[in-house]
Amino acid sequence: MNSKVFYFPQIPPRSPYYNLAIEEALSLQLVSQNITAGVRLWKNPDSIILGLSENPFRNIKEEVVNRYETEARTKGFQKKPKPNFCYIARRASGGGTVFHSLTGNINYSIYVNLNERKELFPVKDSYDILLGIVAKSLARQNIHCSPKGKSDLVLEKNGIFKKISGNAQFRKRNCIVQHGTLILEETLIERVAEVLHHPPEEPDYRKERSHKEFLTALPDFFSESIWAKDIVREVFSYLGEPDPEDFSKISFFGRDFSTFRKLVLQESESIRKKKYQNPEYTLHREIPT
């Protein structure tokens, strides 16, 4: 098939607004640049990430919202993260509100050209396929998880399902983006309870369990560096392609993606400034015209 696939590895820490703008810009440019698929791994500093339609005043504790709004309206934000600060941001995908940190979780994104993979058009089928890719990548480290609810991955512990990954999707210009988070440390779960209320909506299998009772971290033996290559290999396998021999040749920062990279970085800067770091979008979903 000779698919054209990029791999966007982790970079030094950036604000969630930079990361979310990159997410959207990649989707906007992928199909026009004749790229088949891509994988991105990334982390946010302490951040509360709202789903597209979520109400921050209902989901987030009041003192956290107040501190964010004061900072946003008096000082503003740059690309690099502020220390000792909890961001609030709104993503392009639906789903619930989540908490990210630099050590507590890792985020992944899978991008696929829908013109080339039409089996991903139905939403349920796309979740089945893409969650399957993530599950297979974890199974390579002997971590056996399964889909649960609409878009979660869970581990079964003593007959009880505990969530390790929440996922969501958005689609732009015939590109589907599925992104999700894997919990790395139990301390992240403690922080979730500190900044978020119990969600107003929950999957049936949660059964009103608290954050601490419902969530769990990956086992200590999980290796981020090994998994980074395993998830890329599983995407190649889904596309019917052999494993990449040299990851530097598929790097987003490599020569083969120079035009794509330039367009993405230009577009992301505009989106970041106008949309993602604007408190009107974050708090009220309003974008200035």
Side-chain angles (χ1 to χ4, degrees):
M1 289 174 60
N2 295 318
S3 303
K4 192 173 184 182
V5 183
F6 72 87
Y7 168 51
F8 194 136
Q10 286 192 65
I11 60 172
R14 296 289 187 269
S15 78
Y17 313 116
Y18 174 92
N19 282 325
L20 292 171
I22 287 286
E23 287 285 86
E24 185 170 341
L26 286 165
S27 72
L28 293 172
Q29 297 295 334
L30 183 134
V31 173
S32 65
Q33 295 303 304
N34 297 312
I35 294 170
T36 303
V39 177
R40 180 183 178 222
L41 301 181
W42 49 288
K43 290 186 176 184
N44 275 329
D46 283 11
S47 306
I48 297 165
I49 311 298
L50 295 155
L52 182 61
S53 300
E54 292 283 273
N55 181 345
F57 304 99
R58 186 179 181 187
N59 289 273
I60 305 170
K61 294 191 175 178
E62 184 178 5
E63 63 271 18
V64 182
V65 177
N66 290 342
R67 187 181 178 206
Y68 155 78
E69 187 167 15
T70 298
E71 193 78 10
R73 298 194 187 282
T74 59
K75 297 181 181 178
F77 302 107
Q78 304 299 321
K79 290 182 188 178
K80 292 185 178 181
K82 292 177 181 284
N84 304 313
F85 181 73
C86 183
Y87 289 88
I88 301 176
R90 185 182 297 276
R91 61 183 186 266
S93 61
T97 300
V98 296
F99 177 76
H100 293 170
S101 79
L102 290 174
T103 61
N105 72 287
I106 184 169
N107 304 303
Y108 80 87
S109 306
I110 299 175
Y111 309 80
V112 186
N113 185 327
L114 287 169
N115 292 339
E116 298 185 30
R117 308 299 302 200
K118 298 187 186 302
E119 70 273 16
L120 294 175
F121 271 109
V123 172
K124 184 180 185 306
D125 292 349
S126 66
Y127 272 118
D128 289 345
I129 291 168
L130 298 175
L131 287 175
I133 287 173
V134 181
K136 288 175 185 176
S137 71
L138 292 170
R140 288 175 177 245
Q141 291 193 55
N142 202 31
I143 299 170
H144 299 286
C145 61
S146 57
K148 199 75 174 169
K150 179 185 176 182
S151 56
D152 295 344
L153 288 172
V154 300
L155 293 176
E156 185 176 355
K157 294 187 173 184
N158 301 318
I160 299 173
F161 294 110
K162 304 197 79 169
K163 180 177 173 179
I164 57 164
S165 175
N167 299 267
Q169 291 183 4
F170 66 92
R171 302 172 184 219
K172 292 184 183 290
R173 296 184 187 172
N174 278 342
C175 174
I176 182 173
V177 183
Q178 179 162 308
H179 49 199
T181 178
L182 291 175
I183 301 175
L184 301 176
E185 296 180 349
E186 295 288 339
T187 53
L188 178 92
I189 301 168
E190 296 171 7
R191 290 283 285 125
V192 170
E194 291 173 3
V195 298
L196 298 181
H197 296 299
H198 191 91
E201 297 180 12
E202 61 179 36
D204 290 341
Y205 80 96
R206 180 166 181 160
K207 298 179 180 178
E208 299 184 358
R209 284 180 286 169
S210 68
H211 296 301
K212 189 172 183 179
E213 294 169 324
F214 178 59
L215 303 171
T216 193
L218 289 168
D220 291 340
F221 61 77
F222 172 75
S223 167
E224 291 182 53
S225 60
I226 291 173
W227 179 69
K229 293 188 176 181
D230 285 344
I231 191 170
V232 174
R233 291 186 179 111
E234 287 297 338
V235 169
F236 272 75
S237 175
Y238 161 64
L239 296 171
E241 300 285 355
D243 286 355
E245 296 180 0
D246 184 350
F247 275 65
S248 66
K249 290 185 178 179
I250 62 171
S251 173
F252 174 78
F253 300 101
R255 182 175 58 187
D256 289 351
F257 293 98
S258 58
T259 300
F260 177 54
R261 180 174 65 253
K262 181 179 178 180
L263 292 169
V264 167
L265 294 177
Q266 286 177 341
E267 180 120 45
S268 70
E269 278 298 279
S270 173
I271 296 171
R272 175 176 67 87
K273 292 174 182 177
K274 182 177 181 179
K275 178 179 176 181
Y276 285 106
Q277 68 183 39
N278 188 316
E280 295 305 322
Y281 173 71
T282 301
L283 296 176
H284 309 290
R285 202 179 163 186
E286 295 177 1
I287 305 173
T289 56

